[in-house]
Amino acid sequence: MTETEAAERRVRYGANALPVPRHRLLGLILRQFRGIFNLMLLIAAGVTFFLGEPIDGAFILSFVFLGTALNVYQEHKSNQAADKLKAYLLNTITVVREGIEKEVPTETLVPGDILKLESGDIVPADAIVRVARDLLVDETTFTGESIPVTKRVSASSATAADEERLLQGIVIVRGNALAEVTAIGQETQLAHIASTASTVQAESELVKSVDKISNFIMKVTLLTLGFVVLANILIEGREADVTGLLIFAIALAVSAIPEALPLVLTFSLSRGALEFAKRDVIVKRLSAVQDLGSVNLLCTDKTGTITENHLVFSNVYPMAESPYDPLVLARLAAINLHERIPEPFDRASDEALTQAQRQIVERYSLAQEEAFDPALRSNGAIVKQADGSTLHIRRGSPEYFFGEGLISRAAVADWLQAEEEKGHRVLGVSYDDGTGARFGGFVSFVDRIKDSTIATVAAAKQMNVAITVITGDALKVAEAVGREAGLVTESAEVTEAAAFLALSLAERKKRLSSIRVFARTTPEQKLELIQLLKEQFTVGYLGEGINDAPALKAAHVSMVVQSAADVARETADIVLLQNDLRVIVDGIRFGRETHANTMKYIRATLISNFGNFYAVAIGSLFISFLPMLPKQLLLLNLLSDFPMMAIAFDRVSAQEVEQPQRYDLHSLYIIFVTMGLVSTVFDFICFGLFYRISPAVLQTNWFIASVLTEILLMLSIRSLAPITKAGWPAPSIVILSVIAMALAVGLPMIPATAAFFEFQTPTMAHLGIILGIAFAYLVVTELVKRPLSVFVKKK
């Protein structure tokens, strides 16, 4: 097919892409109303309007729509940043057009294109196999079966059996093929399935934990309010104002619900995602930002993360009987180097050639390419000269050639050990000129560690994050790099994966936490190791090859680099446009900061809301009037929530990111009950001081005291350290707190607002008492907080 024909077909068939969802902003808005808190608030507003209280109903709706607006803005902003980065994350595929191979964006494919597919590719459109070599594919997407299946060449130009057809989304596991595109975009089988089914994503630990907290709050709130309403009706009998009690109960429920929790979560996660975006990192799953905070073991290959992934030729081990130089054979195995993105070994081999060696390479052309086989750890090519003579070359790990019987390990043991102890990577080569395969020698390369590696490893240690290298390289090579990077101090910290997995289960569990490098690891062993590590650690895994996909799925947080195989990139939660381990370590810190700020809000809102909630609810049983009017409760909720929303942008101390973060619900409930009890006691003190004077005095003074104490509680509980050592909060928190406290004191003194909210202007004496209560509350909170902080640390 010519480029002209391809352009004509592109106009006729359109882009090879699923339709982009329209009205994304509208969908984002509608999604906000699926949360349990917003739904309950909407129901509360509807009931309030129905009971004839439009002002209270409007207040409740204002909470919903204000929170929704801020949430949508922040999430939309985060999505836009991610979309800009995704423009750099272009999926490409090799096609044959005008008789030559070209790398083109997958969305520009058209029916009739010839795809060149190899191990690791995800088939980008429906196609029929035209040429195949040892083709094995994974059809799990369609069949649910994880066992790879063989595909054969189709002889028909119009129809094909299932064994001859490749559907979009299928993964090439082994071999290579040429396939003719038959359907693109919305006409593919995958698109038809997508149009009738929705994608279900696994819930993150963040979502599960927040759901548990939400359900707990809802149950406690509804049970308590049901009891209070019934008790009031029983106490007051026929004189009970049922409508007034219901409005009061709804307002009290609204004051107890942490409706800003979704907003704080979005602010925190979006902030982390935006920080990632500045560092050229795409977050595909927003909650992965916070999940990173719980990671205490980071698993990675060494190439490109610990090392530069820029190989430099070092040495050769030639065979006396071979007419070919090992470096020339290594280069011939990638003879079409300039027609595709070169592998590091290919580039290093090419750069090391002398002029005479380059002239030898230029005599050959590619006859057939043999893709890299992860299981055999080798690749190859058949090359030919102008006279028609051919040379079959295989290139791979030393173990491949030992296994094939082409060379004995003992014969080259000393040379290999010397190279591997220097951290050099070794490739073997063989050749077959028609007389049988013969070993051609070894070539060694050096891959230096990055300048930033040692500092990155040190930063990870400071945050109690262990780094484990899982690599296919030889034991001595991996150990040498591990020592240079500061990961390894003793040989016992390095092992071959096969030797480790051969140990008894008890011995594996005993040694697991001390191993810093697993060498000579196969794809199956990577998955087994990650599953073992997950039993003791929260695992983040950084991979890139097709053989990393199962391990990526198994890890708690999965990350890949931009150059990763298609299947690995689709599996991952996070994509790095630049291969830098430092970004991941920074990301773990962002995750812990996000978690810390989320927990600050949850602690503060649970303690203050429920302390006040129980005091007002129980207080209503002992007096003949409402201790706080519904509109006053709603205003209290509004003024106390605004500074708490800003907690998402709070500063986080170094101590708070030293340990992996988890939602310890048991510790949270202990803090909530203990500190909530303190809050309730001080609320009753306020109640006891003012309830005998008049309803308006109690309602006004309790309102002011509640706002002041809730804000002081937030400033105290934002850190479990003493307030004098916690450091200054973020400027936004300070500013909003001052505004909220000023409004709490000022609104009852302004005639218009005092009349609207039915406040009574407080006397200076009463204000003095309220300030004294607030200061005493802060002091007691700090005293009670100290033993709680010790308890949480022990947990």
Side-chain angles (χ1 to χ4, degrees):
M1 183 187 299
T2 65
E3 287 292 350
T4 302
E5 289 175 314
E8 291 172 353
R9 295 188 187 192
R10 202 171 301 124
V11 172
R12 189 191 321 166
Y13 295 105
N16 178 38
L18 293 176
V20 178
R22 300 177 64 187
H23 312 301
R24 281 179 65 189
L25 185 58
L26 179 61
L28 193 59
I29 294 170
L30 292 176
R31 195 167 71 240
Q32 308 305 315
F33 295 99
R34 295 177 188 171
I36 188 169
F37 291 146
N38 273 343
L39 285 176
M40 186 170 179
L41 289 173
L42 288 175
I43 293 170
V47 172
T48 306
F49 278 116
F50 179 76
L51 294 174
E53 294 291 339
I55 293 175
D56 293 338
F59 246 113
I60 297 171
L61 283 180
S62 69
F63 292 146
V64 176
F65 291 119
L66 183 61
T68 297
L70 290 170
N71 219 350
V72 168
Y73 168 75
Q74 188 68 15
E75 196 165 341
H76 185 61
K77 183 180 175 183
S78 177
N79 287 343
Q80 283 184 319
D83 287 344
K84 286 181 181 178
L85 282 181
K86 285 177 183 176
Y88 297 101
L89 197 62
L90 191 65
N91 288 325
T92 61
I93 194 71
T94 303
V95 299
V96 180
R97 287 182 185 167
E98 298 178 332
I100 59 174
E101 294 180 5
K102 298 182 178 182
E103 196 84 7
V104 301
T106 55
E107 65 178 30
T108 65
L109 293 176
V110 295
D113 260 328
I114 302 299
L115 306 175
K116 184 183 179 183
L117 302 168
E118 58 185 32
S119 176
D121 286 341
I122 294 179
V123 180
D126 288 357
I128 295 175
V129 179
R130 294 304 184 198
V131 177
R133 180 188 174 277
D134 196 20
L135 185 59
L136 206 61
V137 304
D138 180 354
E139 294 186 323
T140 306
T141 305
F142 296 95
T143 65
E145 297 292 335
S146 59
I147 300 173
V149 297
T150 304
K151 293 290 182 178
R152 66 170 188 260
V153 174
S154 172
S156 170
S157 60
T159 60
D162 288 342
E163 296 80 9
E164 303 164 345
R165 186 179 295 278
L166 297 173
L167 299 180
Q168 183 183 24
I170 284 176
V171 179
I172 307 298
V173 175
R174 192 174 72 194
N176 46 35
L178 294 177
E180 181 183 351
V181 174
T182 57
I184 63 169
Q186 299 180 61
E187 300 304 316
T188 64
Q189 190 67 30
L190 185 65
H192 290 313
I193 294 172
S195 65
T196 57
S198 60
T199 302
V200 179
Q201 292 184 347
E203 286 189 338
S204 69
E205 291 301 313
L206 167 65
V207 174
K208 292 176 183 177
S209 299
V210 170
D211 282 347
K212 286 180 182 178
I213 294 169
S214 302
N215 290 330
F216 168 76
I217 292 170
M218 297 303 296
K219 289 174 183 177
V220 171
T221 302
L222 293 175
L223 285 172
T224 304
L225 287 179
F227 169 77
V228 169
V229 170
L230 286 174
N232 270 284
I233 291 173
L234 290 173
I235 291 170
E236 298 180 19
R238 294 183 179 180
E239 296 179 3
D241 179 6
V242 177
T243 301
L245 276 173
L246 288 175
I247 296 292
F248 170 71
I250 290 171
L252 202 54
V254 171
S255 71
I257 293 172
E259 67 278 351
L261 178 57
L263 182 61
V264 170
L265 280 174
T266 300
F267 275 1
S268 297
L269 296 177
S270 298
R271 179 176 173 235
L274 289 169
E275 287 293 332
F276 268 128
K278 292 176 185 176
R279 289 163 171 78
D280 290 340
V281 177
I282 299 170
V283 179
K284 292 169 61 181
R285 175 171 63 85
L286 197 59
S287 58
V289 173
Q290 194 167 104
D291 287 347
L292 262 178
S294 63
V295 167
N296 57 3
L297 178 67
L298 181 59
C299 296
T300 177
D301 192 354
K302 69 177 185 61
T303 306
T305 50
I306 304 295
T307 62
E308 293 179 344
N309 197 24
H310 181 78
L311 298 177
V312 177
F313 168 72
S314 176
N315 200 1
V316 294
Y317 182 91
M319 301 301 291
E321 65 275 15
S322 172
Y324 303 102
D325 187 290
L327 181 61
V328 172
L329 291 174
R331 176 63 180 84
L332 284 172
I335 195 166
N336 61 338
L337 171 71
H338 302 297
E339 297 176 15
R340 56 180 172 80
I341 300 173
E343 296 292 331
F345 282 115
D346 303 341
R347 188 186 294 111
S349 300
D350 184 66
E351 291 172 352
L353 291 177
T354 65
Q355 187 60 38
Q357 290 171 330
R358 195 173 298 280
Q359 289 174 355
I360 295 172
V361 170
E362 288 172 354
R363 297 176 196 164
Y364 293 87
S365 61
L366 180 67
Q368 183 178 322
E369 186 175 14
E370 298 171 349
F372 178 76
D373 189 323
L376 298 176
R377 301 179 60 79
S378 68
N379 72 312
I382 298 174
V383 295
K384 62 181 180 181
Q385 296 193 69
D387 61 5
S389 62
T390 61
L391 190 64
H392 186 188
I393 302 164
R394 292 297 294 179
R395 182 181 73 174
S397 69
E399 282 74 11
Y400 168 75
F401 298 99
F402 298 151
E404 292 291 307
L406 296 177
I407 185 73
S408 71
R409 186 185 296 270
V412 294
D414 292 342
W415 187 88
L416 275 179
Q417 183 174 351
E419 292 297 313
E420 289 173 354
E421 285 177 351
K422 297 174 187 174
H424 293 178
R425 301 177 69 181
V426 177
L427 276 184
V429 287
S430 68
Y431 64 95
D432 183 351
D433 55 9
T435 59
R438 298 178 185 180
F439 184 63
F442 289 118
V443 187
S444 72
F445 303 86
V446 60
D447 187 7
R448 297 180 178 89
I449 70 164
K450 290 183 173 181
D451 294 336
S452 61
T453 294
I454 294 174
T456 301
V457 170
K461 286 181 179 177
Q462 284 184 342
M463 293 192 296
N464 290 287
V465 176
I467 297 177
T468 294
V469 173
I470 302 178
T471 179
D473 283 336
L475 183 73
K476 292 295 182 181
V477 174
E479 181 178 346
V481 174
R483 287 182 181 276
E484 191 178 358
L487 292 172
V488 175
T489 56
E490 298 178 5
S491 295
E493 295 174 311
V494 185
T495 181
E496 288 191 348
F500 177 81
L501 293 172
L503 298 172
S504 66
L505 182 60
E507 186 65 21
R508 272 183 278 170
K509 288 185 176 182
K510 181 181 176 181
R511 290 196 59 197
L512 189 62
S513 61
S514 66
I515 302 298
R516 294 279 66 85
V517 177
F518 290 99
R520 285 295 182 225
T521 313
T522 66
E524 295 77 15
Q525 290 167 346
K526 280 186 183 181
L527 176 59
E528 193 171 351
L529 287 173
I530 293 296
Q531 290 172 333
L532 277 171
L533 290 165
K534 282 177 66 179
E535 295 176 7
Q536 296 185 24
F537 302 95
T538 302
V539 179
Y541 181 66
L542 177 61
E544 62 175 338
I546 178 176
N547 51 16
D548 289 322
L552 286 165
K553 286 183 179 179
H556 292 104
V557 181
S558 55
M559 299 156 280
V560 297
V561 294
Q562 182 186 11
S563 59
D566 291 349
V567 64
R569 205 161 59 183
E570 289 296 319
T571 303
D573 301 315
I574 295 172
V575 180
L576 285 68
L577 297 186
Q578 297 179 9
N579 197 349
D580 191 349
L581 190 65
R582 180 173 48 188
V583 174
I584 298 302
V585 174
D586 286 344
I588 292 173
R589 190 184 74 250
F590 292 150
R592 293 183 182 181
E593 290 176 355
T594 300
H595 179 275
N597 285 338
T598 304
M599 288 305 298
K600 290 176 188 179
Y601 173 79
I602 292 173
R603 286 197 302 262
T605 194
L606 281 180
I607 294 166
S608 60
N609 284 8
F610 275 93
N612 188 259
F613 170 79
Y614 277 114
V616 174
I618 296 170
S620 69
L621 300 176
F622 297 99
I623 53 179
S624 59
F625 57 89
L626 295 178
M628 209 178 295
L629 299 177
K631 66 181 73 174
Q632 294 167 351
L633 282 169
L634 296 171
L635 180 62
L636 162 64
N637 193 44
L638 180 67
L639 292 180
S640 63
D641 259 1
F642 261 105
M644 287 192 190
M645 288 180 191
I647 209 87
F649 304 100
D650 195 17
R651 294 171 176 141
V652 177
S653 67
Q655 291 77 17
E656 290 177 281
V657 297
E658 281 181 354
Q659 297 295 332
Q661 304 294 320
R662 292 180 181 84
Y663 281 94
D664 183 356
L665 299 183
H666 179 68
S667 296
L668 181 64
Y669 294 151
I670 295 294
I671 294 172
F672 154 59
V673 171
T674 307
M675 301 292 283
L677 183 61
V678 172
S679 180
T680 301
V681 168
F682 274 87
D683 276 321
F684 276 127
I685 290 172
C686 189
F687 176 81
L689 288 172
F690 298 117
Y691 85 96
R692 289 188 180 91
I693 301 173
S694 74
V697 169
L698 172 63
Q699 291 161 354
T700 302
N701 291 347
W702 203 353
F703 165 82
I704 297 171
S706 295
V707 174
L708 297 183
T709 53
E710 286 193 20
I711 291 173
L712 289 175
L713 171 71
M714 176 198 66
L715 296 174
S716 171
I717 207 71
R718 59 180 282 271
S719 172
L720 291 178
I723 195 169
T724 54
K725 297 180 180 179
W728 274 93
S732 56
I733 296 176
V734 175
I735 293 169
L736 289 174
S737 296
V738 170
I739 292 172
M741 289 190 285
L743 287 172
V745 175
L747 289 175
M749 295 183 174
I750 301 171
T753 52
F756 180 81
F757 290 104
E758 300 182 44
F759 288 135
Q760 181 170 315
T761 302
T763 64
M764 295 305 294
H766 286 172
L767 283 177
I769 292 171
I770 291 168
L771 291 174
I773 291 172
F775 179 75
Y777 175 68
L778 177 62
V779 172
V780 174
T781 297
E782 284 293 307
L783 292 173
V784 173
K785 187 176 71 173
R786 292 187 181 186
L788 286 175
S789 66
V790 174
F791 169 78
V792 171
K793 284 181 181 177
K794 287 182 179 179
K795 286 287 288 181

